[in-house]
Amino acid sequence: MKVLVIGGGAREHALCRSLSLDPDVTALHCAPGNAGIAEVAELHPVDQLDGAAVTALATELGADLVVVGPEAPLVAGVADAVRAAGIPVFGPSREAAQLEGSKAFAKDVMAGAGVPTARSYVCTTPAEIDEALDAFGAPYVVKDDGLAAGKGVVVTDDVEQARAHALACDRVVIEEYLDGPEVSLFAITDGTTVLPLKPAQDFKRALDGDEGPNTGGMGAYSPLPWADPKLVEEVLETVLQPTVDELRRRGTPFSGLLYAGLAITSRGVRVIEFNARFGDPETQVVLARLKTPLAGVLLNSASGTLDDQAPLAWSDEAAVTVVVASHNYPETPRTGDPIEGLDEVAEKDAPHTYVLHAGTRRDGDAVVSAGGRVLSVTATGTDLAQARERAYAAVGRIRLDGSQHRTDIAMKAAEA
């Protein structure tokens, strides 16, 4: 099977790494990719938001499967263009991807499917914003209706900060605050059958102790030793399957990766948000534990034959990923700094620890930073404590001027 992956972050590196280990994959391509992905796949320049360009590349390569990684190409309809050319594609249509592209659309789908979520108001005027903020009170949860790369949400006790964020958005969703720990649960679907993966937890805030601004995610771990063993089954029955069924009923079937961000509240499981693609950095730890070869599962989703898929096999090991970010992330990050120590990690910490590249590029013989989140240092171990120890040992070998990372990823769960 020839596979083309679209994207260039750590999520795509994790996907490419898993696909490169699949014996059924005879050729692996990525566009545009990054310096790390280049070690496992052949890179191609492409405008990943241009459906015609992506389709032309897939046709030229003779791709048997196209995997669209990021949300922006999905919301732009890239999967539709590839599908129209008769090439199997893992990723939802433009219309179905509105589940992530519009918070208001997602709320409407959840209402139709009877999916438990926070009460909310969709606001477009200052008066509506003030009314919604007054109705819910602190802590205030304010979400930009559109795509914002994981940084469009403000949760604050400061009503003026909440109002300022709301006024800066064209359309905004203001909702009640959900208490309790958060869980990320991915499911692969072909629009009818839903195949849940193992749950993970990510860390959104920039600083230790969940302080600082929201980011795209600073680390993640799996499994969740504190979670109810029946959690996946419950979420499949009450959230994932009803959502897929509702979208199919509306004539916008969803095939690809459905990501449910969940709060385990005192009143039960509630959906915080849906995404229409693999989450970053949770993908790094979930795929680290998946033993079933990946390409066939994604092809079954793309081909509508997921009911033929054998049950997935999982490692009993734990996985932890720690994000190394640029100076000043999540504000305007500094880029172009050389990254050292990658060879040292490969030499001393493999195979249980490896570095997935996010924002990197080659500059001559050097690898330099090229984004806010630069690397995802990922490790497995017999338990979370060992996986954590291995991940942080590798982080300690990496040198990137001005870089930052959290020191408490999976710490509480490892100590529990």
Side-chain angles (χ1 to χ4, degrees), residues 125-336:
T125 68
E128 289 173 346
I129 288 166
D130 288 341
E131 194 177 329
L133 292 172
D134 289 344
F136 288 128
Y140 303 99
V141 181
V142 183
K143 299 180 175 182
D144 189 334
D145 181 53
L147 288 181
K151 298 190 281 286
V153 180
V154 165
V155 181
T156 179
D157 288 323
D158 182 342
V159 69
E160 290 308 321
Q161 185 187 358
R163 182 180 284 113
H165 181 64
L167 291 170
C169 305
D170 288 336
R171 187 158 80 147
V172 68
V173 175
I174 297 174
E175 62 184 39
E176 67 174 327
Y177 176 76
L178 296 174
D179 63 337
E182 294 185 13
V183 174
S184 300
L185 185 60
F186 301 163
I188 291 172
T189 178
D190 59 3
T192 303
T193 301
V194 181
L195 189 65
L197 306 185
K198 293 294 184 184
Q201 186 175 57
D202 78 330
F203 294 75
K204 288 285 187 214
R205 299 282 188 172
L207 307 175
D208 283 7
D210 293 326
E211 298 289 332
N214 258 345
T215 71
M218 294 298 289
Y221 70 93
S222 178
L224 312 181
W226 49 267
D228 186 329
K230 294 180 180 172
L231 175 67
V232 174
E233 189 181 325
E234 179 191 343
V235 175
L236 176 62
E237 290 176 6
T238 62
V239 174
L240 299 169
Q241 191 70 57
T243 300
V244 169
D245 292 345
E246 173 69 11
L247 285 163
R248 190 175 67 252
R249 186 187 69 75
R250 291 173 176 228
T252 54
F254 186 107
S255 76
L257 195 291
L258 176 59
Y259 165 130
L262 308 164
I264 314 301
T265 77
S266 53
R267 293 170 293 139
V269 174
R270 297 287 185 274
V271 174
I272 300 169
E273 65 173 352
F274 283 125
N275 289 335
R277 39 73 195 180
F278 278 103
D280 183 344
E282 301 97 322
T283 303
Q284 288 85 302
V285 292
V286 173
L287 291 186
R289 299 184 60 215
L290 179 64
K291 291 168 73 174
T292 301
L294 184 61
V297 185
L298 302 186
L299 185 61
N300 279 334
S301 164
S303 307
T305 53
L306 206 54
D307 57 345
D308 296 338
Q309 176 66 45
L312 299 178
W314 295 92
S315 166
D316 291 331
E317 288 199 313
V320 171
T321 194
V322 179
V323 170
V324 176
S326 294
H327 176 72
N328 204 39
Y329 177 77
E331 301 305 320
T332 307
R334 193 173 79 203
T335 59

